[in-house]
Amino acid sequence: MKVKRFFGYLLRPAALLFAALMLTVSAGFPVSAKEYSADDFVHADGRKIIGTDGRELHIKGMALGNSVWGNPSSPDMTHHDENTYKELSEMGFNCVRFYINYGLFESDNAPYHYKRSGFKWLDKNIAWAKKYGMGIIINMHCPQGGYQSNGEGTALWKDKQNRDRLTALWKKIAERYANEPTVWGYGLINEPVVPMKDTMEETYEQYNKLMQRLTSEIRSVSPYQAIFIELICSAVKPDGEREYEYFTPEHSFADIDDDNIVYEFHKYDPFFFTHQNTGWAGTEGITMTYPSEEIVGEKAINGWVKCEAASERSTDPKGWTYFESKIVSLSDTVNVVTPVVTASNLGRDGSVYFDDITLTEISPRGKRRTLFSADFSDEAICGSPWSEDGSGVSEYCSDDGRKAAGCLKISGTKSFYVHNFKRFEMKKGYKYMISGYIKYDKGSPEIRMDMSLSKNIQSFDKDYLEASILPYAEFSKKHNVPLYLGEFGVISEGFENGRNGIGWVRDMISLCGKYDIGFNYHVYNEPAFGLYDDYPDGRNEELAELFRKMLKK
């Protein structure tokens, strides 16, 4: 009996070990007898991120979007494949930011019951990443309660069940991959947008509390993998408006009790460049070129001081009348000039047409240079309209242009209507004039320069981009924590017609290097922002070549 009992005690641990190994295999864990430590995983060390080889790691990532914006219930197997990882590795990328939607793992109709299909797709991608020497950062792009970025996912913050489900799902994911060094970390919530509370302190605390809860739950099963926490993007007020200005790095990064946190932010500055001429972004008709002298940042002292209208000079046989203004110059009261066209009291069926609007800068030696020109040769119409009573519209007219096909048409206004174009800083010793053509029957239209006074003026160049990153770099230095630029990118329109999206991307990557910030480009395969617009077709070859040159250094 004693002998049998002795062997029984020996066999019991063996059976338990065997059962544990079988569970590990079925769950997707690597089977290993190795004892892991923090050194086996990517982890934070002061302001640095340390790789699995013990050396400082500079994250050079590409986003895999996985069609998450369509709220899929199963993985999109056509979005990318193994060749994607091979291609990215050969370009010089060392990581992918892998977007997930909670719907890939559980259904609202069956919470806490997890789908094998979502985990199998994740397993396959981790295997591909490992094969090509890359890491994966799993990013919760759409949590329970809704996609956050547009301010429509406040149900996450208002409904406890959504937070409970998110917490449980993150624990499940972390538990499955806790022993997988290829998983560099977990991005808890993409671009969190929270409901506004009675005080900013309460508004912040709901975010910080959830981030701490998620972190603690992950740590209960995964002690060593890094956690990527993004700052609050904005807060939604009860009337639907969003608060942005309060949420500087000092007021919007989570204060987490954990020493393996990477602090994440995103940069699409300026929005009207990176998201230009896109209906869903509210930028239709607006285009920008990088770099340019266009003002993209300023603090207004006097938003409107005076204007200088162009005078009628001559009319051609097609009915186009040429207008040209007197010259104006910098003074103590004005330092910003804006090309403007106006119309008034056209009535419901009335219209007026504008073409070849040109703002000319004249140097102290008399040399003339075109500072701004709008010939309306395509449908992109830069600028912003305004009218006294909300009536009227400015739009591209394809068949009534003076020389090229198109022109700008203003119609339907019952009051005073203004279309402002781009703003420029006036230089000392230089002079400015405006000219252009109008075709009209009524409405007293004008081509003019509006002038205003501002300080802290920033033009659209690399200095502006650097200034937008500096607050985050200063936060990193002050708190001795690592930074990660989790998203940056340019919409396809920004690479067209000489708008130089390539230059913007090049300078952003350069600045990340200067400030030792890991980064992730958004995104690999997507019609709007993708390296591919429909993988495996439609690759942006200019962008691919830039990545090869910059990331292989």
Side-chain angles (χ1 to χ4, degrees):
M1 290 292 295
K2 289 182 180 179
V3 173
K4 289 182 179 179
R5 186 175 299 157
F6 176 71
F7 277 100
Y9 283 118
L10 283 179
L11 289 171
R12 190 174 300 165
L16 290 171
L17 176 60
F18 179 78
L21 287 173
M22 290 303 97
L23 283 172
T24 297
V25 171
S26 66
F29 291 112
V31 179
S32 173
K34 176 178 178 178
E35 290 291 329
Y36 284 97
S37 70
D39 292 338
D40 296 304
F41 296 85
V42 169
H43 61 277
D45 183 8
R47 293 173 64 193
K48 297 180 180 179
I49 298 174
I50 306 300
T52 55
D53 59 1
R55 300 166 60 186
E56 184 176 1
L57 173 66
H58 300 278
I59 297 176
K60 296 178 286 187
M62 171 65 81
L64 294 181
N66 292 301
S67 304
V68 294
W69 301 278
N71 291 320
S73 59
S74 59
D76 179 0
M77 302 294 187
T78 67
H79 179 270
H80 62 272
D81 53 30
E82 180 179 341
N83 287 329
T84 296
Y85 288 85
K86 181 176 185 292
E87 175 191 27
L88 292 176
S89 177
E90 290 173 349
M91 282 185 185
F93 290 97
N94 60 15
C95 177
V96 297
R97 184 174 184 247
F98 195 85
Y99 296 179
I100 60 176
N101 183 307
Y102 80 95
L104 296 173
F105 300 92
E106 72 165 8
S107 167
D108 290 331
N109 295 325
Y112 306 107
H113 295 276
Y114 300 115
K115 305 175 185 178
R116 293 185 62 188
S117 59
F119 282 107
K120 285 179 67 176
W121 179 235
L122 199 44
D123 291 346
K124 183 178 288 188
N125 278 268
I126 291 169
W128 287 337
K130 181 183 290 188
K131 180 176 179 178
Y132 294 101
M134 301 180 73
I136 277 188
I137 298 168
I138 302 172
N139 171 260
M140 185 62 71
H141 220 71
C142 182
Q144 293 87 340
Y147 183 61
Q148 296 286 296
S149 305
N150 296 333
E152 298 171 353
T154 56
L156 171 66
W157 310 93
K158 294 178 178 180
D159 188 334
K160 181 178 181 297
Q161 184 182 27
N162 284 327
R163 298 193 296 278
D164 291 346
R165 287 170 57 192
L166 177 61
T167 304
L169 177 56
W170 264 127
K171 183 176 181 179
K172 186 72 173 179
I173 292 170
E175 187 176 29
R176 186 180 185 92
Y177 302 115
N179 290 338
E180 180 49 81
T182 302
V183 176
W184 286 4
Y186 307 109
L188 301 185
I189 300 173
N190 185 72
E191 298 182 352
V193 177
V194 299
M196 182 74 83
K197 298 285 191 178
D198 291 338
T199 67
M200 295 309 295
E201 290 76 15
E202 291 176 288
T203 302
Y204 169 83
E205 187 53 34
Q206 65 184 322
Y207 151 82
N208 197 68
K209 183 178 180 180
L210 181 56
M211 294 301 181
Q212 181 65 69
R213 179 186 178 187
L214 296 174
T215 300
S216 299
E217 199 71 10
I218 289 172
R219 284 286 172 256
S220 72
V221 294
S222 174
Y224 302 125
Q225 286 161 314
I227 293 176
F228 291 73
I229 296 184
E230 192 174 344
L231 77 175
I232 299 175
C233 287
S234 65
V236 181
K237 300 176 182 179
D239 62 3
E241 291 188 14
R242 292 169 67 173
E243 169 63 42
Y244 294 95
E245 292 187 6
Y246 177 83
F247 296 108
T248 64
E250 283 296 335
H251 290 120
S252 56
F253 272 124
D255 183 14
I256 299 298
D257 182 17
D258 192 276
D259 59 3
N260 193 12
I261 302 295
V262 178
Y263 290 80
E264 180 177 340
F265 68 105
H266 297 174
K267 271 292 159 196
Y268 291 98
D269 289 339
F271 185 83
F272 286 107
F273 175 76
T274 61
H275 291 68
Q276 61 185 282
N277 197 25
T278 305
W280 57 263
T283 62
E284 190 170 8
I286 299 173
T287 61
M288 294 180 69
T289 299
Y290 178 81
S292 75
E293 294 173 79
E294 177 181 354
I295 293 174
V296 288
E298 61 184 308
K299 185 173 180 61
I301 297 172
N302 190 337
W304 191 91
V305 177
K306 61 181 180 179
C307 66
E308 181 66 42
S311 301
E312 181 177 333
R313 299 299 174 93
S314 60
T315 302
D316 67 18
K318 293 183 178 181
W320 286 97
T321 301
Y322 176 67
F323 287 76
E324 184 178 295
S325 74
K326 297 178 182 178
I327 59 173
V328 298
S329 56
L330 176 72
S331 71
D332 291 339
T333 58
V334 296
N335 62 358
V336 173
V337 60
T338 306
V340 172
V341 297
T342 74
S344 59
N345 302 315
L346 296 174
R348 185 176 64 182
D349 299 322
S351 300
V352 60
Y353 302 86
F354 300 87
D355 208 350
D356 294 325
I357 308 299
T358 303
L359 179 66
T360 302
E361 181 182 75
I362 307 169
S363 75
R365 294 188 176 184
K367 185 176 180 179
R368 295 182 173 226
R369 179 173 74 100
T370 298
L371 192 57
F372 169 82
S373 177
D375 64 3
F376 309 107
S377 57
D378 59 35
E379 294 187 27
I381 302 173
C382 62
S384 56
W386 171 88
S387 71
E388 284 181 326
D389 62 0
S391 67
V393 62
S394 50
E395 57 189 335
Y396 174 74
C397 185
S398 62
D399 55 3
D400 282 317
R402 192 177 72 89
K403 289 183 178 178
C407 62
L408 173 66
K409 174 184 176 182
I410 296 177
S411 59
T413 179
K414 301 175 184 177
S415 61
F416 187 61
Y417 188 97
V418 180
H419 189 104
N420 298 284
F421 294 99
K422 302 182 178 185
R423 298 168 61 78
F424 300 90
E425 184 175 14
M426 303 168 76
K427 301 176 185 176
K428 185 176 181 180
Y430 286 72
K431 298 175 182 178
Y432 301 86
M433 59 169 285
I434 194 166
S435 61
Y437 292 83
I438 307 175
K439 185 163 68 172
Y440 67 105
D441 295 321
K442 61 178 180 178
S444 302
E446 284 185 326
I447 299 171
R448 73 187 200 196
M449 295 177 285
D450 281 9
M451 286 157 279
S452 56
L453 184 67
S454 292
K455 62 180 181 179
N456 302 333
I457 295 173
Q458 294 176 302
S459 297
F460 186 28
D461 54 20
K462 189 175 181 179
D463 289 342
Y464 166 78
L465 298 182
E466 185 167 11
S468 74
I469 288 174
L470 271 175
Y472 302 92
E474 290 167 354
F475 176 90
S476 170
K477 184 176 182 180
K478 178 180 177 180
H479 297 281
N480 193 33
V481 294
L483 283 179
Y484 171 60
L485 178 56
E487 286 186 28
F488 75 107
V490 179
I491 203 163
S492 58
E493 286 270 355
F495 295 96
E496 299 175 0
N497 299 319
R499 293 172 192 151
N500 197 28
I502 286 293
W504 186 93
V505 175
R506 181 188 299 112
D507 284 349
M508 288 294 290
I509 293 176
S510 173
L511 289 168
C512 284
K514 178 177 179 178
Y515 290 101
D516 198 20
I517 299 171
F519 62 84
N520 172 83
Y521 188 81
H522 175 89
V523 61
Y524 180 72
N525 177 26
E526 180 197 87
F529 280 83
L531 174 63
Y532 287 86
D533 61 22
D534 186 18
Y535 179 78
D537 299 318
R539 188 168 81 164
N540 184 332
E541 295 297 341
E542 187 181 23
L543 185 58
E545 182 60 24
L546 175 70
F547 289 144
R548 278 191 290 267
K549 287 181 178 179
M550 295 200 74
L551 305 186
K552 280 291 191 179
K553 291 180 181 178

